């Protein structure tokens, strides 16, 4: 397996999760890997996942994924160099698996 922050992670080996997220949350403050996001409750507003260490100042520059406004589980399969911030859309409830 490659060394450093951008190791390949099998989706079945994501060893951490954050559940019941309804507001912007730092789920990991160091480099990591986003495996999946599950939309549990939906709204008309999509959310986002950012490569960041803070919930403030997130922008398109640090965005790594859109959280769809539709219930379901979505494969993200993307590294995050700085940290992982999940910002559900207004009214959304999401869960994320990551390393």
């Amino acid at each position: 397996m490659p060394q450093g922050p951008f190791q390949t992670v099998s989706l079945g080996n994501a060893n951490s999760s954050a559940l019941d997220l309804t507001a912007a949350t730092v789920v990991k403050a160091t480099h990591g890997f986003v495996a999946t996001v599950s939309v549990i409750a939906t709204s008309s507003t999509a959310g986002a996942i950012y490569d960041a260490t803070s919930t403030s100042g997130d922008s398109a520059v640090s965005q790594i994924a859109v959280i769809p406004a539709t219930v379901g589980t979505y494969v993200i399969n993307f590294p995050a160099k700085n940290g992982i911030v999940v910002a559900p859309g207004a009214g959304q409830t999401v869960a994320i698996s990551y390393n």
Side-chain angles (χ1 to χ4, degrees), residues 1-95:
M1 184 174 279
Q3 298 298 312
F6 297 111
Q7 297 181 14
T8 301
V9 175
S10 166
L11 294 178
N13 292 330
N15 61 10
S16 298
S17 62
L19 309 175
D20 197 32
L21 301 175
T22 58
T25 305
V26 177
V27 297
K28 187 170 185 183
T30 61
H31 66 269
F33 190 91
V34 181
T36 63
V37 63
S38 294
V39 178
I40 309 302
T42 189
S43 72
S44 60
T45 307
I49 301 173
Y50 298 95
D51 183 345
T53 58
S54 169
T55 59
S56 64
D58 297 325
S59 67
V61 173
S62 62
Q63 186 174 344
I64 60 175
V66 171
I67 301 172
T70 305
V71 171
T73 299
Y74 303 91
V75 175
I76 305 301
N77 201 26
F78 203 88
K81 181 179 178 183
N82 300 302
I84 301 169
V85 172
V86 177
Q92 274 188 326
T93 301
V94 303

